[in-house]
Structure formats: C-alpha cells, structure tokens
Amino acid sequence: MNFEYDLIWNGESIATAPTKKEAIYLKREYCIAFNTTRIEIKKVKERTWDEKKEIIRARLSIGD
C-alpha cells in the first residue's frame, strides 16, 4: 500500500506531498508563509486519480 502525506492547517488539508521528505519541506514553507507553527503532517493512503481530481475541483471552486 502506498501512502501520501497531507498538510493540515485549521482542520483543512492545504497540500499533499508524495514523500515524507517533501511533506517536511512543504511544512516549513507553509509555516513561514502563514506565520504559524500549527501545520500538521498526516500520513494517508494514496488516493486514486478520481479522488485527486475531486480535491482539485474543490480547491479551484473556493479559489485556492
């Protein structure tokens, strides 16, 4: 089973990384950008392509 890593801020997934190393890097970048230390990394099962498309559509609809 493959895993991905979600970055969680205020209870919402703000990004997904394919590796833990990349997730840690993104966490540092988001902490600087959002001026916070409250970003968490959550290990999740790798999503199917259809699930990824739904996430992208949802983010685009709210302007992310």
Side-chain angles (χ1 to χ4, degrees), residues 3-6 16-17 42-47 52:
F3 292 95
E4 293 179 329
Y5 299 85
D6 281 349
T16 302
K42 180 180 176 185
K43 186 176 180 180
V44 295
K45 186 181 85 152
E46 187 175 31
R47 294 173 180 93
K52 289 178 183 181

Side-chain angles (χ1 to χ4, degrees), residues 17-34:
T19 65
K20 187 173 184 177
K21 183 177 180 179
E22 188 172 338
I24 292 168
Y25 173 79
L26 287 173
K27 178 181 176 180
R28 285 190 206 126
E29 294 294 316
Y30 277 107
C31 284
I32 292 168
F34 294 166

